[in-house]
Amino acid sequence: MYDVLIIGCGIVGASMAYELTKYNVSVCVCERSNDVANGVTKANSAILHSGFDCPVGSLEAKYNIRGIKLAKEICEKLDIERIQMPTFVVAFDDREIKEAEKLYERGVENGVTGIKMLKPEEALEIEPALNAKMVAALYAPESAIVNPWEYAIAMAETAVKNGACVKLESKVEKIDKIDDKFVVVTSSGTYEARYVINAAGAFSADVYKLVGGTELEQTNFCGQYHVLDKSQGDLLNSIVFPCPDENGFKGVLVAPTVHGNLIVGPDAYVVEDGDDVGTVSPLLDELKEQGHKTVPSIDFRESIHQFAGVRPNTQIPDFVIGESKACKNFINLAGIKSPGLSSAPAIAEEGINILRECGLFLTKKDFYVDHRIRIKFRKLNIEEKEKLIKENSSYGNIVCRCETITEGEIVEAIHRPIVPRTIDAIKRRCNAGLGRCQGGFCEPRVRKILARELEVSPLDILMDEPGTYILTSKIKEGK
Amino acid sequence: MKEIICIVCPKGCHLQVDENNGYKVTGNKCTRGIVYGEKEVTNPTRVLTSIVPIEGGMYSCCTVKTSEDIPKEKIMEVMELLKNIKIKSPVNIGDIVISNICGTKSNWVVTKNM
Amino acid sequence: MDINYDVVIVGGGPAGLAAACSAKENGAKKVLVIERDIEAGGILNQCIHNGFGLHIFKEELTGPEYADRYEKMAADLEIEIMLNTMVLSINKEKKIHAVNATNGVLIIQAQAIILAMGCRERTRGAIAIPGDRGAGIFTAGTAQRYINIEGYMVGKNVVILGSGDIGLIMARRMTLEGANVLACIEICPYSNGLNRNIVQCLNDYDIPLYLSHTITNVIGKERVEKVVISEVDENKNPIEGSEIEINCDTLLLSVGLIPENELSKEVGIELDPRTKGAVVYENMETNISGVFGCGNVVHVHDLVDFVSEESVRAGKGAAEYVLKKKKSIKKVVKVYPGEHISYIIPQKIRIKNDVNKTQLFFRVDNVYKNGKIIVKDGDDILIEIKRAHLAPGEMEKITIPSSKLERLKYNNIVLELLV
């Protein structure tokens, strides 16, 4: 029996496991997919927001502000790609200036450091790519962009190194409470725990229903993005928002990514199915118009990819964090939409407090792993590259040409805790395949390496989730 | 009058073949077109290319082709011959994998040294 | 590890091999080809079909056989080929930074560099095909690699988007391996591939070609289950109400090739936005002295025979550069594409004493019948050639005698099409 069972290993579940394994408790994380960080965490704006957007006094505000401070430390310790860069909210008329000023005041009240209103010349001096037609801009310097899946993966791997059990392909189907014990039936087996944490993202209301919780309604909405070539990533060194429109929608942001690309998005439309991440055409075109409003020089012909991400939302206009009403010792970390990525480690800290209040005795371990290094061959200088290849010649084989990713990095990733078994799992750990050719060159080579290291047939290597087979059969076989 | 496109070279001339007049060909820009035009209308043939599994080669498969053109209606039958066989490295361009395929003069031959 | 060479060629495919041989034949002594794959031959290794070599060898060869001819030539000329080696960067001083597992990091100093990196394929993301994100969507070249080199089938019921040659070749390839190719979808009102390929890849196997159609949705969360195709209008916009669903499990994309110019951009080579490749002189030299380009990295070709010819010019240019064969340049003439012309190579011509003609290679922007190709100097017509049939998928060439270029009113000429 585990002390704590966490449902979901996205950014929230991973943060929770990372935090919890610093204590002397046994932890199990059940993830429905065949890899961690494969749901909401995989597809979002990848921004650590400064916090001016959250309603004053909300949990969102509280955890956003705290979360981005913790993020800075965690990203340094665990070698997660994070780049500090300011956020601009750009106003084009009087109504918008008022909106921006509202956000400014909210920011001040929420405790956002360094936030100020700028005149157009001041804003353009910091960020020349902004639309010169603007009349004012809100400026918040403490935001950052991060590698969102690496963030979750690094914390999950560290949690495993500290004793957590991460069970993949373990969708929770039934939860029984017998006396003070939870019996959790999943697709990979049945597990028992004293406490259960619901970090199930787009499915958190469904999971809550399993313990009889009916007061949460899941209202997921989907947002699409364009990802543009690195040549466009050079355009900007900031995160750029338009002003919220008359309905209060945040609008389409333009931001660089840690990989050097540019993303433009998201829009927002309701989806029934938490798994519905298809993209929709006329809406994709609208994103281009919206992006050009704030950053007119974007060349959308350099688009290399589109994706859509689900935002888990409930009817409650804030995070739903706390011991559930329906079931003792069942803790909800639900409805974690934006700023979920920014808030995650702070939500995990609160999770620790809630567990204590629920009676779990938590003593910190004397020693736990809190450090990780990921070799990024591309970033090494010549001497470092030489040394690395001498130690291990597989670092001399470049597999992904667009991103300069070596066989050494891919093999290293395969042998980390939480084994990546698919093409996309490797992409999330090493960046192989997310460049401009989108895996056209490296996919067959990554497949060969995976098959060799995992000792499986190349036919068994999937693209991502179960069912996403790529190859059908060996050639020339059969009748 | 049959209108066909010549496939002998990348020019792809538009040919007219008169089946009522001894298969006379017009529209060709070279003499190979005349031969092709008549053949295509009376007894069309094709050259096929494919791969076979190989043991000990740098890849798991080696490329092959039919040494001569084979009747079009036998295409799938000729392809079937490559199923469930394996050749052994080393092989050289021109090595015969299967001779006299489907009763023709053509052979499946290797097109890559492996 | 420091190494010095006269000419270093980046890429050991058909362009690189032909350029290397030519450089050696024209007097360069130390010639090195750097190739990232386990063997030379480049894309020819997976182009197992025939149709190569009709011009150069007067024989119809398959891709691997054509590559073999050049590999033998290179071996006979004692050209060094460094395999499994990736070039990471080049600089203006012609220092090349490369890496491989055996030697680690290599810093190679060249006198002249020839860029022959080829091109990559346009992806689903580049043309923003909306829909579900299931597996089963491949670019035609990646599918070709899986089938012809790795020996795996990628699907059973296939739809192909794009009727350029790669798409057509793969339609036949997959059919011959037992797949069911259901349709070839083409957004233009004409096919971009060679006529012979329409016949021997689609017609032979009764595969329908839907011209003026495109794919407007892909359905299938885990694996492709169907695609929705729509007719398009003259502006290539989908016509509402014309949707047809095709059940399939595989979608191959043959929607364009993009010259792979990362190295070129980094070193500051001027690129032509029309070709996405380098701006070159008639000897394939770029704006950086001693750096040349040839093959698909300069402009995407239809026939490998023309790649080889072009690469021979680049090799010669590089050798002459190394041997410091200073030729007095009488003038530099810029070449501009006029009406109905998509691009022209070379974009600049240096008129020299010993060259009495220059070839211009170009593509038109649509299918035309009975047109006149005109080369103008201002309003004066220098050359006028009639052509019965012109198409974007067929690169054209014309020859200009140097004598016509010596007495120009302006220092540029315009090549255009009158229809």
Side-chain angles (χ1 to χ4, degrees), chain A residues 40-61:
Chain A
V40 178
T41 305
K42 182 171 68 171
N44 52 68
S45 316
I47 295 175
L48 299 175
H49 296 284
S50 45
F52 56 75
D53 192 47
C54 316
V56 176
S58 63
L59 296 175
E60 287 175 14

Side-chain angles (χ1 to χ4, degrees), chain A residues 320-341:
Chain A
V320 176
I321 294 179
E323 189 185 22
S324 73
K325 291 200 186 81
C327 180
K328 221 168 102 56
N329 295 347
F330 183 91
I331 297 161
N332 278 319
L333 304 177
I336 311 294
K337 61 186 193 301
S338 184
L341 187 68

Side-chain angles (χ1 to χ4, degrees), chain B residues 5 7-10 12 14 46-47 49-51 58-60 63 65 72 75-76 79 93 111-113, chain C residues 38-39 45 48-50 54 62 64-65 68 147 149-150 173 175-177 195-196 200 204-205 303:
Chain B
I5 289 176
I7 64 171
V8 177
C9 90
H14 291 253
R46 296 286 183 264
V47 169
T49 60
S50 187
I51 57 174
M58 70 160 59
Y59 297 123
S60 59
T63 56
K65 73 176 181 192
K72 208 171 145 191
I75 285 181
M76 284 320 200
M79 290 299 302
I93 294 177
T111 54
K112 188 183 173 79
N113 301 327
Chain C
I38 64 174
E39 57 168 351
N45 291 319
I48 70 167
H49 49 281
N50 59 6
L54 282 162
T62 60
E65 287 169 315
D68 180 69
I147 298 175
I149 304 240
E150 315 279 341
R173 188 79 194 94
T175 306
L176 289 178
E177 291 305 330
N195 276 336
R196 76 195 297 229
Q200 60 190 1
D204 274 7
Y205 304 100
L303 294 183

Side-chain angles (χ1 to χ4, degrees), chain A residues 403-417:
Chain A
E403 300 292 313
T404 317
I405 310 294
T406 61
E407 182 178 349
E409 290 162 89
I410 296 172
V411 171
E412 192 268 337
I414 296 173
H415 294 282
R416 285 195 235 147

Side-chain angles (χ1 to χ4, degrees), chain C residues 327-347:
Chain C
K327 307 200 175 167
S328 61
I329 295 171
K330 292 193 203 165
K331 72 198 296 187
V332 179
V333 176
K334 288 213 174 119
V335 184
Y336 291 117
E339 189 128 40
H340 302 308
I341 306 293
S342 304
Y343 74 79
I344 308 177
I345 297 281
Q347 295 91 339

Side-chain angles (χ1 to χ4, degrees), chain B residues 14 29, chain C residues 189-192 195 236 338-343 362-373 385-394 396 415-419:
Chain B
H14 291 253
K29 291 212 183 81
Chain C
Y190 49 82
S191 161
N192 272 307
N195 276 336
K236 302 213 173 82
E339 189 128 40
H340 302 308
I341 306 293
S342 304
Y343 74 79
F362 62 93
R363 286 189 194 272
V364 297
D365 63 3
N366 208 330
V367 173
Y368 298 103
K369 284 203 172 1
N370 301 321
K372 244 193 270 187
I373 299 291
I385 298 183
K386 286 208 181 100
R387 282 275 209 271
H389 169 77
L390 295 151
E394 285 158 43
E396 294 283 339
L415 188 154
E416 64 185 29
L417 172 65
L418 290 185
V419 284

